[in-house]
């Protein structure tokens, strides 16, 4: 079975400062990795995904993530955050199990950007 | 392209009643997923439908049930509502239920049980 760990439940950061949101996963098979963002009173939106190839993945809104297979991590980064980045961020792993998709989400990290 | 739509946006019920939540996936998507997002508990997987069949369910009691219609829209039913069922219920769809497909989410139905 796979699992996803987001160690930081809340991350406060000043506007224009860099941020890293951590995600570690465990799985006995190869997985696909995703980051989603949830703004207040909305559903989740896809930020970026890692399927294969280059381990550095760029997403929307200036976010990027790096897949590290040896450390089983997929940390999300942004060099300079804006107030509008205040939201909750979810890491997810997905794999094919018995011919079907199985998705596991982390518990989420609330990013609070301080003006 | 229209996104995933959920109705109603808000639903208020009393304990013991039944709630019905609806979801229309993105056109061409055959897989529909339901998640419960209760305060402080993250996203809990409820049910997954693909091609009209229930493919998997999470660790929820049988009073949580649903179905998928021939047009791939889906309905989640919660019977004998309890106070702890109060949560945001999110529906998501994907094109073919394969591991490399991202999920596309609706904005959810906020269910309040009093």
């Amino acid at each position: 079975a796979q699992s996803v760990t987001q160690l930081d439940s809340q991350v406060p950061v000043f506007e224009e400062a860099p941020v890293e949101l951590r995600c570690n996963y465990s799985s006995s098979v190869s997985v696909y990795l995703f980051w989603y963002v949830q703004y207040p009173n909305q559903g989740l939106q896809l930020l970026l995904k890692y399927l294969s190839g280059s381990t550095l993945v760029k997403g929307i809104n200036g976010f990027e993530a790096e897949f590290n297979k040896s450390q089983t991590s997929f940390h999300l980064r942004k060099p300079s955050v804006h107030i509008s980045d205040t939201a909750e961020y979810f890491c997810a792993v997905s794999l094919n199990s018995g011919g079907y998709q199985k998705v596991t989400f982390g518990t989420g990290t609330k990013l609070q950007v301080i003006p | 392209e229209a996104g995933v739509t959920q109705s109603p946006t808000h639903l208020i019920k009393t304990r013991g009643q039944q709630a019905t939540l609806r979801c229309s996936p993105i056109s061409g998507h055959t897989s529909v997923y339901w998640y419960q997002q209760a305060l402080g508990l993250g996203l809990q997987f409820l049910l997954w439908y693909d091609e009209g069949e229930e493919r998997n369910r999470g660790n929820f009691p049988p009073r949580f049930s649903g179905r998928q219609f021939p047009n791939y829209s889906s309905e989640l039913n919660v019977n004998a509502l309890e106070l702890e069922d109060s949560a945001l219920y999110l529906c998501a769809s994907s094109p073919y239920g394969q591991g490399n497909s991202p999920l596309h989410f609706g904005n959810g139905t906020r269910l309040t049980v009093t």
Side-chain angles (χ1 to χ4, degrees):
Chain A
Q2 74 264 35
S3 66
V4 180
T5 302
Q6 292 182 251
L7 286 172
D8 305 307
S9 58
Q10 294 191 50
V11 173
V13 63
F14 285 104
E15 194 174 14
E16 298 184 6
V19 69
E20 178 180 82
L21 306 183
R22 296 180 293 168
C23 173
N24 288 86
Y25 69 93
S26 67
S27 176
S28 57
V29 298
S30 294
V31 296
Y32 305 102
L33 297 158
F34 303 85
W35 274 99
Y36 292 85
V37 60
Q38 184 179 31
Y39 298 103
N41 300 313
Q42 292 186 26
L44 280 68
Q45 301 174 31
L46 179 68
L47 262 182
L48 48 79
K49 60 187 177 184
Y50 173 78
L51 303 182
S52 65
S54 173
T55 58
L56 183 62
V57 179
K58 293 190 184 298
I60 63 172
N61 301 339
F63 283 93
E64 64 180 31
E66 186 158 18
F67 170 58
N68 188 317
K69 189 174 182 180
S70 62
Q71 296 188 3
T72 60
S73 67
F74 189 54
H75 300 333
L76 181 70
R77 302 186 184 101
K78 186 169 182 178
S80 175
V81 296
H82 300 124
I83 293 290
S84 58
D85 293 324
T86 295
E88 190 160 18
Y89 293 79
F90 292 90
C91 180
V93 299
S94 177
L95 55 83
N96 291 320
S97 175
Y100 297 102
Q101 182 178 26
K102 184 174 173 60
V103 182
T104 302
F105 284 88
T107 50
T109 298
K110 290 184 179 176
L111 174 62
Q112 182 186 7
V113 180
I114 305 164
Chain B
E1 174 184 84
V4 176
T5 58
Q6 291 187 245
S7 62
T9 306
H10 294 87
L11 190 57
I12 301 174
K13 294 284 186 179
T14 56
R15 193 169 50 185
Q17 285 187 317
Q18 178 197 28
T20 298
L21 289 63
R22 297 180 176 84
C23 172
S24 292
I26 289 173
S27 177
H29 288 193
T30 63
S31 277
V32 171
Y33 302 77
W34 286 96
Y35 287 86
Q36 182 194 67
Q37 189 176 25
L39 201 59
L41 293 180
L43 283 162
Q44 305 294 317
F45 168 69
L46 267 165
L47 290 159
W48 168 31
Y49 293 94
D50 184 69
E51 295 284 1
E53 304 243 347
E54 182 180 303
R55 302 296 184 184
N56 199 9
R57 68 178 290 130
N59 189 25
F60 280 84
R63 57 191 187 83
F64 286 85
S65 65
R67 53 181 171 166
Q68 186 177 35
F69 299 99
N71 65 355
Y72 302 116
S73 67
S74 178
E75 194 174 88
L76 173 69
N77 295 293
V78 188
N79 293 319
L81 284 165
E82 300 179 2
L83 295 178
E84 53 264 33
D85 296 333
S86 294
L88 181 67
Y89 288 83
L90 293 168
C91 170
S93 71
S94 73
Y96 37 81
Q98 294 301 305
N100 58 1
S101 314
L103 299 184
H104 300 257
F105 284 83
N107 285 333
T109 293
R110 173 77 60 187
L111 174 63
T112 303
V113 183
T114 61

